[in-house]
Amino acid sequence: MKGRIFCLWTALLLALTGCAMTPADPDTARESIQVIAMDTAMLITTYGERSPAAAYACEDAIRELEALFSRTDPDSAVSRLNAAGSLELSEEETELAGILRQAGRYYEQTGGAFDITVAPVVSAWGFTTDSFQVPAQSELDRLLPLVDGSAVTVEDRAAALGPGQSIDLGAIAKGYAAGRLCTVFNEYEVPRALADLGGNVLAWGDRPDGTPWRVGIQDPAHPDDKEALVGVLELADAFAVTSGSYQRYFEQDGKRYHHIIDPATGKPADSGLTSVTVAAGTEAGNGAMCDAYSTALFTMGEEKALEFWRSQENGALFSMVLVTEDGRVVVADQIGRFAFTPNEDSGYVYETVS
Amino acid sequence: MSMRRSPELRPTVWDGLTALAVLLLALGLAFFQWRGGGESGELTAVVTIDGEEADRFAPAELLNAPRTYTHNGYTLEVVLGVDYENPPLNALPPVGTSGICVAVSDCPTRDCVRTGIISRGGQSIVCLPARVIIRLEGGAADPDAPDAVLG
């Protein structure tokens, strides 16, 4: 009898030990965390044996960047730069120089359609503080001369603004953060992950079933219906970002004012587009690029956006989906890397351009 | 030379019961592992406040009473909702998608209210001013459903 009891206990011990020591299957082991940062809600799902540690390292990375880039935290590097007009960067703050250089490059490429110095105008509309108001034209006329991305100077350990200028990294910071997550995923050997940083998605690897991640594009005409999509992008190892006039807005005297401010006019961009989605591979810098381009192309409008996409070899760099006010969905994809499945029930007319 | 088998080496009923117990134990553990630690299963609403899980419930529990969450100076009321495909009077019982939604919020943006009804695992309602996220987990898996939505 003693032998049988010993046998039973040994089997139990082995089974439990075996259960605990079974290596996590990278296809099923996963961790999901939700983070409220950068004025948005983020959901990060990581897979693999080190998925919990990787997910929380992602949160740490995002918090670090938020502490640098926030415009509302008075202690952030950006706030101190805005307050003083120039800033010596500590070793921990050199990442600010990196994002400012990228922002400067996108300012040049887009002819000023992307401009981080639009900050004072954005504040005048109340989008920074949620105290929305329509500024007087005289106020816009006073602020618009301050909007000039070429006046920002960056060195390895210093940054400076033009007189009276301030910057807002809201149209690039989340994309930059998505790019930083790639570093974390590599470090933690994450085989696959999906990071949704509030309109910025990083599709890392593919889904556990081996198919690409399916990322829907919200129908701007029905922003309150989560099931209403203009189509679905199939993404693997890619960034995708959507900028849309429906995402943040207020109404005054029966008129709607959205948050994407045209740096040229100081007013919400009136370009005939309701949303712009930009997707690109996970090469370094592309997260910020997608973020910045989605804003810039929204401001440009369909014609200039297509011209921009076709020029400077940009067509080989990114794909884009434009949704127009007149009910069309324009899909521009020369790479063929990201399949787009239209939602035929949406009522839109779909066009593919090359 | 013939050898007589020792009676102690013959399998007995107790040996059989021991083997059966080990087998049942193994099957039980295999089932536990197969469940994947609760990743799938019943549709569950998970509420996080300022990054910490504050509540977890089955949507049907909202039939008894709405749930209220207060944080950062704002209060949200979460209820069970039906997104009617037809006006309620035209169809009995009404046809539509049931899910959860924020019916009332005193936050300044009211984005949480405008989000409407969520009904599928992976969908969420966010109230940034209150720093509250209500996310649905589990439920029937749909391989064609988007993993994320841009916008």
Side-chain angles (χ1 to χ4, degrees), chain A residues 119-139:
Chain A
V121 182
V122 173
S123 295
W125 285 90
F127 285 111
T128 314
T129 55
D130 287 340
S131 303
F132 307 119
Q133 59 183 343
V134 179
Q137 185 60 47
S138 57
E139 187 178 5

Side-chain angles (χ1 to χ4, degrees), chain B residues 3-74:
Chain B
M3 255 178 102
R4 196 174 169 213
R5 198 174 178 188
S6 168
E8 287 185 7
L9 294 178
R10 278 189 207 137
T12 66
V13 174
W14 285 108
D15 290 325
L17 287 175
T18 303
L20 187 64
V22 170
L23 184 66
L24 289 174
L25 190 64
L27 286 173
L29 287 168
F31 176 73
F32 179 78
Q33 280 207 301
W34 173 78
R35 284 175 62 218
E39 275 185 14
S40 56
E42 293 299 309
L43 192 66
T44 305
V46 180
V47 181
T48 55
I49 299 177
D50 234 349
E52 300 290 330
E53 184 174 320
D55 197 7
R56 179 179 283 265
F57 61 90
E61 291 179 39
L62 294 172
L63 280 169
N64 303 327
R67 285 172 125 85
T68 302
Y69 305 98
T70 300
H71 187 66
N72 220 23
Y74 304 111

Side-chain angles (χ1 to χ4, degrees), chain A residues 82-219:
Chain A
N82 283 341
S86 64
L87 186 67
E88 297 288 326
L89 302 175
S90 67
E91 192 169 336
E92 294 75 30
E93 294 170 337
T94 52
E95 216 153 357
L96 179 61
I99 195 172
L100 289 178
R101 283 203 183 91
Q102 274 189 276
R105 193 156 61 242
Y106 304 139
Y107 168 82
E108 295 287 341
Q109 289 175 352
T110 62
F114 175 78
D115 194 335
I116 57 174
T117 64
V118 76
V121 182
V122 173
S123 295
W125 285 90
F127 285 111
T128 314
T129 55
D130 287 340
S131 303
F132 307 119
Q133 59 183 343
V134 179
Q137 185 60 47
S138 57
E139 187 178 5
L140 293 179
D141 291 341
R142 181 179 62 82
L143 295 173
L144 277 172
L146 301 174
V147 181
D148 177 9
S150 67
V152 179
T153 55
V154 190
E155 296 172 17
D156 288 343
R157 286 298 187 88
L161 309 178
Q165 281 191 318
S166 58
I167 59 168
D168 188 326
L169 299 178
I172 189 172
K174 290 195 289 288
Y176 186 92
R180 171 73 99 75
L181 298 192
C182 293
T183 310
V184 175
F185 293 156
N186 275 322
E187 184 184 342
Y188 285 83
E189 298 170 324
V190 172
R192 54 177 51 88
L194 189 68
D196 182 353
L197 310 186
N200 283 248
V201 165
L202 165 59
W204 182 257
D206 53 16
R207 300 204 298 189
D209 65 3
T211 60
W213 295 100
R214 292 174 58 78
V215 178
I217 298 175
Q218 182 72 45
D219 182 350

